[in-house]
Structure formats: C-alpha cells, structure tokens
Amino acid sequence: MTSGEAEEPLETIGFAALSTAIENRLIQAGASSEVSRILALNCASCERDGTLSHGVFRVRGYIDSLTRGWADGRAMPVVEEAGDSFIRVDGRNGFAQPALAAAKPAITAAIEGTGVAVVALRDSHHFSALWPDLEVFARDGCTAMAMIASGKLAVVPEGARRPVFSTNPFGFATPVAGTDPLVFDFSTSSMSHGDLQLAASDGVAVPPHTGVDAAGNESEDPKAILDGGGLRPFGGHKGALLSLMIETLAAGLTGGSFTYEVDMEAPTGAHTFRTGQLYIVIDPRRGGNESYPERVASFIDMLREAGMDRLPADRRYANRAAAEARGIPMSEEIRALLAGE
Ligand code: NDP
C-alpha cells in the first residue's frame, strides 16, 4: 500500500446484530427466548472481547446439546436459600448463566444481609468463559470468585495414567476505583480445551509440556493430545492441586458431578457437560475498609509502575473498545452462523 492510500476496511458486525443472530439460532434449536437471550449475550460478549475460544466458535456445541436433548434449553432453575449467605441452585439440566440469573435476587439479598453470598450451582451446563459472570459483580462493587468442574476428562496430572480432571477454570474479579474492574479467568490446564481445538483445526503445534498423547508421551501435536491423550495441568503439582480443589468444591460441595462421573454419562459428541459451579461473592466494605477500591487502584498503579504493564482484562477491554468503535471482526464462524450453516 502506498502512503496516503486508504486502508482496506475490515469487515465487521455490530454487537447487537451478532447477539440477535446467535439468539435466533438457539431459539431454532429449542431453547426458550430468555435462555437464548442470556446465552447469546454471553457468547457475543466473548467474541467482542476476543475470548474466541468461547465465542461464536461454541454455537454449534450449544446447538448439538440442545437438539440431542442432552441439555434443557427450557429448564426452570430452582433457587433455595440454604442459609443467610448460602444459596443452592438446581439448574435442572439447563445452562449455568440463566440459573445464575435466576439466583440474582437471592444473591443481592445475601450480600445486603451478611456481606457474602456462596452460590452452589448443580445440574447445570457451563460452556463459556467465567469473566462475563464475574465482571458484573465487580461493577456492582463486589469481589467475586468462581470455579467450574467443567466435566470433560481432559487433564492428566503427572503420575496419572489417564485423564482425571477437566480444564476446571477459576476466575476472580474486583472493583478498582476510577476504572474498569480487574478480572482474571483461566483454565487450570496448560491451555483451554477450546484453544487446543482451535490449534488442531489451524494445524499449529502447541508449546512444549502442553500435553501427552494416548501413550502418555509428551506431545506438541494438538490432534494427538485430543485423540486419547490429555492436557497437563498448568504449574505442575500446584495446578493439579488447584484443579483437585475445584472438583471438590464445584462438584463435591454443590452436589454436581465430578468430571470422572459426568464424562462417563455424556453421550458421544456431547459438547457441554452437566456439572457444577461454585461462586463466592463478597461485599468488600464488610472488611471495615470503605476505601477498598481506592486501595486496589493504588496497588495496581504500583504494579504497573514496577513494570507489570500487562494486567488481566487489559487485552479484553482494548478489544471491547475497538469493537465498540469499529464493530466485531467478521470471522469464518460468524459468516457460517449468518448463513445458517
Ligand atoms: P488465558 O491464558 O487466555 O488467560 C488467562 C487470564 O490471564 C486472562 O484473564 C488474561 O487476561 C490473563 N492474562 C493473559 N496473559 C497475561 C499476562 N501476560 N499478564 C497478565 N495477565 C494475563 O486463559 P485460558 O486459555 O486458560 O482460558 C480461556 C477461557 O476459557 C477462560 O475464560 C476460561 O473461563 C474458559 N474456560 C471455560 C471452561 C468451561 O468449562 N466453561 C473450561 C476451561 C476454560 P485477558 O483476558 O485480558 O487476556
């Protein structure tokens, strides 16, 4: 391109148009309009923010689960207040985000009453990133944590002869005075299963120590890791133990299924998994410290000044701002969605 020549405009789609297209596909697949709306907003938000492993790429998986009758897109979650701070939610084999939405009034009441809400969600499918669940709590002034026993036997810790955990994600969000919340959200495996599938379909090698093949040998071939092998936990035994804790709390404590149980019952080709999640939401003002958000802001300023200039959510917020200014970049997945493929 010579100087002065206009740059080729990037083909994009607006957030509302993308969300509506996803919503319509989920309604066609049998989900209620409310469930479809909640899942579509979540999925379009992931695409907009560049969490592509849980954006439009996942729509086929939702549709598969719905049309096979494996997940109930019309489920009516049951919310029970098991104590002043303890909320039990039976997702009734529906999706986690609508179940969390149904628990919102009870969560608000628990926070107002005691400063803490523990939300134990079972019999639910969580097929997305955790940050969209968490960011809203932080925007309302709360710190929040979440974890999922995500249900697909995919992770082989050192010493194990077969996968025993899923990629079990953990997320955290906190308000920060004067700016967007700080949110991080990661799988406890060396990489998320979505990114592994994307690497396999793109035919690119994964970094060393990502996983093992079916014979238990280290492999950088994503197809070999997917085909009977498994991912490693991140951080050796420390990641393995964090994953163990997540299974214990998000499945054992909630009454959801451990990964080894759910993977056994899921039908061939299942993409979503019927499992459990645990959320802990805290009003930080109960710490007796009204200036908590300001203190976190000063802490973050110190981290940036010390050179930690890439903090979690920076990339997502930058993508979000770009998408708000110019639209969401059109991908092959979005094209296929719009074409009804
Ligand atoms: P990533 O490695 O992509 O990102 C992990 C987190 O670290 C993000 O919050 C990211 O912020 C932040 N981050 C990345 N690089 C840096 C850096 N250099 N310095 C500081 N912070 C950084 O996560 P994963 O691939 O492990 O997981 C991807 C998604 O998959 C997650 O959202 C997770 O919830 C989801 N998942 C969902 C499952 C489910 O069952 N529903 C199962 C497993 C995973 P930023 O966002 O700004 O890049």
Side-chain angles (χ1 to χ4, degrees):
M1 185 168 48
T2 56
S3 70
E5 197 177 319
E7 206 172 311
E8 191 71 25
L10 185 67
E11 199 184 345
T12 60
I13 180 168
F15 180 81
L18 179 60
S19 186
T20 303
I22 299 168
E23 188 176 331
N24 289 339
R25 287 304 296 277
L26 296 174
I27 290 171
Q28 279 164 17
S32 70
S33 50
E34 179 63 359
V35 166
S36 302
R37 186 186 63 79
I38 292 172
L39 294 182
L41 281 175
N42 176 293
C43 197
S45 301
C46 286
E47 191 74 21
R48 176 201 61 200
D49 277 24
T51 310
L52 298 183
S53 58
H54 292 81
V56 174
F57 164 69
R58 294 279 173 171
V59 173
R60 281 174 206 273
Y62 282 113
I63 291 173
D64 248 12
S65 276
L66 288 165
T67 53
R68 286 160 188 265
W70 168 238
D72 183 354
R74 300 181 163 272
M76 302 294 286
V78 177
V79 179
E80 254 181 289
E81 287 163 39
D84 290 344
S85 293
F86 203 111
I87 299 152
R88 274 200 297 250
V89 189
D90 182 345
R92 305 294 287 261
N93 195 32
F95 290 97
Q97 292 84 357
L100 186 62
K104 219 39 191 287
I107 296 171
T108 305
I111 299 286
E112 282 171 8
T114 69
V116 182
V118 174
V119 185
L121 174 49
R122 66 184 186 280
D123 198 7
S124 54
H125 298 243
H126 199 299
F127 196 44
S128 184
L130 279 169
W131 66 258
D133 301 344
L134 293 172
E135 189 182 316
V136 284
F137 290 120
R139 290 200 184 274
D140 286 346
C142 287
T143 57
M145 282 174 247
M147 58 196 88
I148 310 176
S150 56
K152 177 165 184 57
L153 276 174
V155 176
V156 191
E158 289 282 346
R161 291 181 298 278
R162 59 174 191 272
V164 292
F165 302 136
S166 189
T167 51
N168 298 344
F170 179 86
F172 169 79
T174 179
V176 184
T179 187
D180 289 314
L182 181 129
V183 187
F184 66 73
D185 168 21
F186 50 74
S187 55
T188 48
S189 48
S190 55
M191 87 170 21
S192 77
H193 206 256
D195 278 338
L196 183 67
Q197 290 171 71
L198 289 173
S201 64
D202 293 348
V204 296
V206 293
H209 314 302
T210 295
V212 295
D213 63 18
N217 300 315
E218 291 276 337
S219 177
E220 292 169 28
D221 175 359
K223 290 194 173 124
I225 297 172
L226 284 166
D227 187 14
L231 289 160
R232 287 293 196 205
F234 79 87
H237 66 280
K238 301 180 193 183
L241 296 180
L242 192 54
S243 194
L244 183 156
M245 180 197 79
I246 292 171
E247 294 270 346
T248 309
L249 292 177
L253 183 145
T254 63
S257 299
F258 285 101
T259 291
Y260 81 92
E261 295 171 321
V262 74
D263 197 61
M264 304 297 172
E265 59 162 6
T268 310
H271 293 273
T272 67
F273 289 89
R274 188 162 64 202
T275 173
Q277 291 88 51
L278 188 84
Y279 298 85
I280 301 171
V281 187
I282 303 169
D283 177 357
R285 285 165 299 198
R286 298 289 180 128
N289 169 19
E290 284 294 330
S291 60
Y292 170 83
E294 286 73 23
R295 295 198 68 209
V296 176
S298 305
F299 176 56
I300 287 175
D301 287 347
M302 181 282 294
L303 294 176
R304 290 199 195 276
E305 186 275 325
M308 207 175 160
D309 52 3
R310 158 70 159 103
L311 285 175
D314 284 355
R315 179 193 63 92
R316 283 197 304 98
Y317 291 141
N319 284 340
R320 189 179 302 181
E324 278 160 7
R326 295 187 289 279
I328 298 168
M330 187 66 78
S331 66
E332 283 314 310
E333 274 92 9
I334 298 177
R335 257 187 254 283
L337 172 84
L338 298 177
E341 289 164 14

